[in-house]
């Protein structure tokens, strides 16, 4: 059972380069999220999706774009990377099913991105 | 907008002792979910315990229990008989149970050190 898989696990980018982080989940979850984790800042929500074909802005969306063309995938794009985007990025997915208590987020293993 | 506050950036506890991590949140909603996640050095996010706001009984999971005070908007985590493997970053999180367009909001975290 793979759960939530993020690709890649590590990446170094030069300022101005672009890249896409891929998140895939095999739990048929409706909700998917992208967070960034920085020291002393906790997990901050970048963008999220409440279903296939939908996306919404989170707390820190500037400089990022997302797409959810398929229910199982949630892509995070950086069009022109900046050193301020150096961070660890986490993808998560969830449902919201009170009957089964299936309400928590399941996380991928994280992607460490360095922009130089 | 909902917010989650963890006022203790770091804490230390002697092995086998009990420690309590604090979390407060701000919301105007009456129905929601609260979570505690653990992040060990491996970086993997692990659900420790969850609480549903409509349930008055405090959740427990083995050595982990919560003190949920709805009126005070407080959700503390108590770890009994602390073990070396409990050393990690702990995050408190909030999720609305009412709004379909919801997101999971995290606090900044508390780093817990276990002293042998």
């Amino acid at each position: 059972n793979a759960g939530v898989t993020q690709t890649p696990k590590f990446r170094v980018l030069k300022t101005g380069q672009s890249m896409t982080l891929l998140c895939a989940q095999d739990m048929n979850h409706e909700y998917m999220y992208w967070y960034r984790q920085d020291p002393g800042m906790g997990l901050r929500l970048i963008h999220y999706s409440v279903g296939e074909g939908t996306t919404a802005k989170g707390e820190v969306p500037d400089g990022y774009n997302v797409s959810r063309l398929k229910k199982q995938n949630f892509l995070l794009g950086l069009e022109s990377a900046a050193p301020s985007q150096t961070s660890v990025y986490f993808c998560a997915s969830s449902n919201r099913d009170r009957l089964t208590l299936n309400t928590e987020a399941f996380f991928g293993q994280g992607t460490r991105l360095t922009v130089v | 907008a909902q917010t989650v506050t963890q006022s203790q950036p770091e804490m230390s506890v002697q092995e086998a002792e009990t420690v309590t991590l604090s979390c407060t949140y701000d919301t105007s909603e009456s129905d929601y979910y609260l979570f505690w996640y653990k992040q060990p050095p491996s970086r993997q996010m692990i659900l420790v315990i969850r609480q549903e706001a409509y349930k008055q009984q405090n959740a427990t999971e083995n050595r982990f229990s919560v003190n949920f005070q709805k009126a005070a908007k407080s959700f503390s985590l108590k770890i009994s008989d602390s073990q070396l493997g409990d050393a990690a970053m702990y995050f408190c999180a909030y999720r609305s149970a009412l709004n379909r367009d919801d997101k999971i909001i995290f606090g900044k975290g508390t780093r817990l050190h276990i002293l042998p």
Side-chain angles (χ1 to χ4, degrees):
Chain A
N1 188 1
V4 179
T5 303
Q6 291 182 230
T7 309
K9 293 184 176 56
F10 304 93
R11 185 74 186 267
V12 178
L13 281 181
K14 293 183 178 179
T15 297
Q17 285 185 320
S18 64
M19 78 163 295
T20 300
L21 280 68
L22 171 63
C23 178
Q25 53 96 1
D26 62 1
M27 296 174 282
N28 200 35
H29 284 169
E30 289 291 334
Y31 299 80
M32 296 188 75
Y33 315 84
W34 276 107
Y35 294 90
R36 60 177 288 173
Q37 183 178 14
D38 303 291
M41 301 300 291
L43 287 161
R44 292 184 292 171
L45 184 64
I46 304 171
H47 286 281
Y48 64 106
S49 169
V50 300
E52 180 179 321
T54 75
T55 63
K57 294 181 180 180
E59 181 185 356
V60 288
D62 294 344
Y64 305 94
N65 56 74
V66 288
S67 65
R68 183 114 181 256
L69 298 179
K70 293 183 178 180
K71 185 177 184 178
Q72 63 268 33
N73 295 337
F74 196 30
L75 279 62
L76 178 70
L78 286 73
E79 290 186 347
S80 180
S84 61
Q85 294 177 305
T86 292
S87 187
V88 177
Y89 292 85
F90 283 96
C91 176
S93 72
S94 77
N95 269 343
R96 193 170 64 184
D97 187 340
R98 174 160 278 170
L99 288 177
T100 63
L101 295 181
N102 187 356
T103 58
E104 76 271 24
F106 293 79
F107 283 82
Q109 72 274 43
T111 296
R112 181 174 292 279
L113 175 66
T114 302
V115 183
V116 298
Chain B
Q2 293 88 4
T3 59
V4 176
T5 302
Q6 294 180 248
S7 58
Q8 306 149 314
E10 288 195 61
M11 293 191 71
S12 297
V13 64
Q14 209 75 34
E15 193 176 3
E17 296 294 309
T18 295
V19 64
T20 299
L21 309 183
S22 300
C23 172
T24 59
Y25 56 94
D26 187 26
T27 184
S28 59
E29 297 178 337
S30 60
D31 197 6
Y32 46 86
Y33 307 103
L34 297 165
F35 309 93
W36 278 99
Y37 280 86
K38 171 185 178 181
Q39 186 183 44
S42 67
R43 210 167 66 191
Q44 184 63 45
M45 294 285 287
I46 303 164
L47 178 70
V48 174
I49 200 165
R50 93 183 89 213
Q51 175 79 42
E52 294 170 277
Y54 73 89
K55 290 185 177 179
Q56 293 187 344
Q57 186 174 5
N58 288 326
T60 63
E61 287 288 343
N62 301 313
R63 298 183 295 107
F64 298 87
S65 61
V66 298
N67 184 5
F68 173 49
Q69 301 289 330
K70 191 172 184 178
K73 296 180 183 176
S74 171
F75 183 60
S76 61
L77 175 69
K78 185 172 81 171
I79 306 174
S80 303
D81 185 25
S82 297
Q83 300 176 359
L84 294 177
D86 295 333
M89 182 73 86
Y90 287 82
F91 292 99
C92 179
Y94 169 99
R95 181 177 194 179
S96 169
L98 300 173
N99 186 356
R100 181 182 184 275
D101 189 23
D102 76 327
K103 38 194 179 291
I104 303 178
I105 305 298
F106 286 81
K108 293 186 177 181
T110 297
R111 185 171 297 281
L112 179 64
H113 303 277
I114 310 295
L115 306 174

